[in-house]
Amino acid sequence: MNEINCLTKRFLINSNRLNYPLNQIANELSERLYNNKGVSLEPMNENDDEVTDLILNNYKHLLSDMRKELKYTFIEFSKDKLEFEHSSIKLFFDHGTHEEKEKHHKNSFRISEKPDLSMIKKENFHNKYGVITNIYRDMNSRDISVVGAEFNVERNTVFSYGREKDFEAAEVSALLELLERITTYNIKKEVVESSLDSGGSAFVDPSGMLHYNYDLCSIHRFEKTKSYKWLKCMDVKKAKEVYLPLQFFDLQAEADKRFVLETSNGVALGTSQEEARLYALLELIERDAFLLFWYRQIQLRKICCDSIPNELQDMIYNYETPQTKIHLFDMTIEIQIPTILCLITSKDTNLATYISTATHINPNIAIKNALDEAIIGHAIYNQNPNIGKRSYSDYTDVKEMFDHIDLASSTDTIKSYEFLTQQEQYYCIEELYRDYREEYGNFETIGSVLKYVEQQKMKNHETIYFADLSNEMIKEYGLFSTKAIVPSMLTMTFGYTYSRINMPRLKAGIDHSLEYKDKATIEEGCFYDKPHSFP
């Protein structure tokens, strides 16, 4: 039976599908096998139609046994026959009632601190036909454990990486990133096709969210009369449903008329929808703060490393050399949630500078995350044989993420950060950040934390959009994926010509800052016109 022989396929059937017409079940199963596993149920030869018929006939007999209880079905492809076995689904992130699910750890602000992904790997990993097609360890990395994972989208391979102190933790990080990225492709939720002019008042004009310099880039312009696909979202501050173009969410949607090149910026996973929304916002806050710093070259406050927890001091001590130094800066510019910039400068390695950023309600976690990412990223890219090999005659030669990092690899770049690194004044973390336990201690659920962030921390931003990207696969394991878009903030892009410079934000972000109103070295109305070094 072609390449189907001796392979276990799992088709998860939930209660919402049990009453669907049989032909709809057949179409969904056929599409899922083809998109996720590369197996076509269209007759390719005289025997293949037997596979299709056998699946449908067996499915018909299964329906009567499965209407009352949520179950999953193993479809076993062997040389001569198909065998079915079904049993109850276990949600691996189940925490009881809704209220119990919403309770979070008061230091990490996560509902589940150590997710068990073993069943996700077991049920979805196969190097040829699995949703997850590859998981591997990088044995060349020293001191840091690196695990890569891959999945395929329309014959293209998408990569995710986990970088931790041990391989087990790195694999968890890689799989979580992979699951998050899967949700940004082939979105099949509530999508409608329409032009803006004929769509009605619920359709949001994206023109004011793009900010491209069309003299530099070759991207299409948005047209109000042209038909596009739109995804249902929530305008949380107005408490109403709206539609935004699918191109903001699906990274491969409408390639022939693409007017925005989006990234996974503002996408996050959680074990509840509220948790996913919170971490999507934290990522937007982090990226917005970095771009404010970069384009206005703000003189950030330097953090005294003696004031951070001992384990974090040890991380710095163990990585630094006489020629390699780690610098920490406060980057909490407008939105008052601890945001950190970590800068590594190195005079005797291939990668002279490397930066990482992090935002978290707990400042110690923000510092740890920024340190982790910077140390791991610098170690990995420093071993990359291509670092420092490319030449950039013009900023327009910076076209992809690697180019942004590579451009910052020259030792000359160290001088560009001296306005930060040569400051004489240091700040202790106690001076910089209010006690988060005092501020957030009365919030029992992650939903109440999210509401506080939306209403108080982001009070200067009148619009916050959330799109639920959760697909059937991640929901089966009790996970949710959300993308947040805040039109009044800066958004991360890669490739110099595709920068989206929101000039009103470059002014408002400084005007609304508590500590940095007079710290921008680039005057109002201008911006630092060099490709950013964000990895």
Side-chain angles (χ1 to χ4, degrees), residues 32 36 55 60 94 97 124 155 160 183 201 205 226 256 262 289 303 306-307 310 325 338 355 410 421 427 479:
R32 182 166 182 173
N36 291 345
I55 289 174
K60 189 183 301 183
D94 190 19
T97 67
N124 296 281
R155 305 300 184 268
S160 66
T183 66
S201 59
D205 185 352
K226 182 176 284 189
D256 58 332
E262 268 292 339
I303 295 174
D306 290 340
S307 70
N310 290 336
K325 299 298 178 183
I355 63 98
S410 168
T421 59
Y427 295 83
L479 290 169

Side-chain angles (χ1 to χ4, degrees), residues 8-12 32 37 73-75 122-124:
T8 299
K9 301 293 187 187
R10 295 168 176 86
F11 180 48
L12 287 142
R32 182 166 182 173
K37 305 177 185 300
T73 301
F74 294 94
I75 306 176
K122 180 179 179 181
E123 294 186 351
N124 296 281

